[in-house]
Amino acid sequence: VEDITSGFVNSRNTVYHLQPGDQLYISVNSVDQKTSRLFQTDFPNPMTATYQELNSFRVEEDGYINFSFIDKVYVKGRTVKEVNDLLQKTVNEYFKEATVVVKLVFYRVSVLGEVNNPGTFTIENKQINILQAVAQAGGTNNFSNLRKVKLVRQTLEGSELHYLDLTDNGVLQSDYFYLMPNDVVYIEPLNSKSFAFENFPYSLILSTISTAAIILALFK
């Protein structure tokens, strides 16, 4: 049997711009232990996700974070790399041989509609694609319309609505294959769901048949 494979390229160039409510883990590492302790980054090893969350900085509604002696830093609309570079430049003015590391602690995505376990899920990995998110929601059920899946994405200007066909292999190359923080995936039901057998009124039909059988028996 001939082995036929298809390759799909996706560069994963999804750039997320920080928004209020995001949590940033920031560490300043230095060979000088006093410098590390000044920034409270003398952390245990291995680092756990819970510890990162407890020692993270929240992006406030005004777009700022309060980071140690640097005071307020405006990060709304910036990428994680841009914030990393900004803090590194600021720290370099005060300390030598100090390295800044900035990470997005976690983010949430929601998967709703015709899945077995709809809800909002916390993603600790750096990236997750739409198929992995659906799997985390328990997978789809028999009434899922995979040809028209809605993806609602928050932006700095508002919300964007995109449609994806999960039955098409081309989705692997889509700019929306990889999810971003606060994305909402909604899988619509098939149009035939209302006529599906699981919604069929079996009890009513059986009751009607039983009643009819009793009436017929009385008149025999």
Side-chain angles (χ1 to χ4, degrees):
V1 179
E2 184 180 359
D3 182 20
I4 301 176
T5 59
S6 298
F8 297 89
V9 178
N10 192 312
S11 61
R12 301 191 185 190
N13 289 330
T14 52
V15 179
Y16 177 67
H17 297 274
L18 295 169
Q19 301 180 34
D22 288 334
Q23 299 280 137
L24 291 176
Y25 162 74
I26 303 173
S27 68
V28 178
N29 305 305
S30 174
V31 293
D32 181 9
Q33 292 185 356
K34 292 182 179 180
T35 300
S36 293
R37 291 195 179 97
L38 177 63
F39 289 95
Q40 299 179 347
T41 56
D42 191 12
F43 295 145
N45 190 26
M47 182 71 65
T48 65
T50 301
Y51 195 92
Q52 287 189 31
E53 179 181 355
L54 293 175
N55 290 274
S56 64
F57 298 82
R58 184 180 186 275
V59 181
E60 302 299 336
E61 293 302 319
D62 58 3
Y64 286 87
I65 59 172
N66 292 301
F67 179 61
S68 296
F69 77 98
I70 298 177
D71 198 17
K72 284 189 172 184
V73 180
Y74 190 78
V75 300
K76 179 181 177 181
R78 299 179 186 270
T79 65
V80 172
K81 184 180 184 307
E82 288 173 343
V83 174
N84 202 135
D85 293 343
L86 175 62
L87 294 180
Q88 182 69 65
K89 181 179 179 180
T90 304
V91 168
N92 287 345
E93 296 177 2
Y94 299 91
F95 303 96
K96 295 181 179 180
E97 298 181 358
T99 302
V100 178
V101 177
V102 180
K103 297 178 181 179
L104 192 61
V105 175
F106 59 79
Y107 62 92
R108 294 181 176 87
V109 297
S110 299
V111 184
L112 309 174
E114 297 302 318
V115 290
N116 293 312
N117 184 29
T120 299
F121 305 92
T122 298
I123 309 302
E124 295 182 359
N125 297 326
K126 184 177 181 180
Q127 215 162 31
I128 187 173
N129 63 53
I130 190 170
L131 299 181
Q132 292 171 324
V134 170
Q136 190 155 343
T140 59
N141 58 39
N142 294 331
F143 305 107
S144 304
N145 184 1
L146 298 180
R147 295 184 181 276
K148 196 175 182 181
V149 175
K150 290 181 179 179
L151 172 62
V152 180
R153 174 160 294 173
Q154 292 184 11
T155 67
L156 295 175
E157 292 75 30
S159 297
E160 298 177 346
L161 177 61
H162 306 277
Y163 289 93
L164 299 173
D165 182 354
L166 298 190
T167 67
D168 183 356
N169 289 338
V171 73
L172 301 176
Q173 296 176 298
S174 170
D175 293 336
Y176 306 103
F177 181 64
Y178 287 95
L179 300 183
M180 288 190 178
N182 304 314
D183 274 357
V184 177
V185 177
Y186 177 71
I187 300 182
E188 296 183 349
L190 293 168
N191 293 332
S192 59
K193 179 178 180 180
S194 58
F195 302 101
F197 285 110
E198 88 166 15
N199 292 331
F200 198 73
Y202 291 110
S203 59
L204 177 60
I205 298 300
L206 290 174
S207 176
T208 303
I209 293 175
S210 299
T211 301
I214 294 173
I215 294 174
L216 289 174
L218 292 176
F219 285 94
K220 282 186 177 181

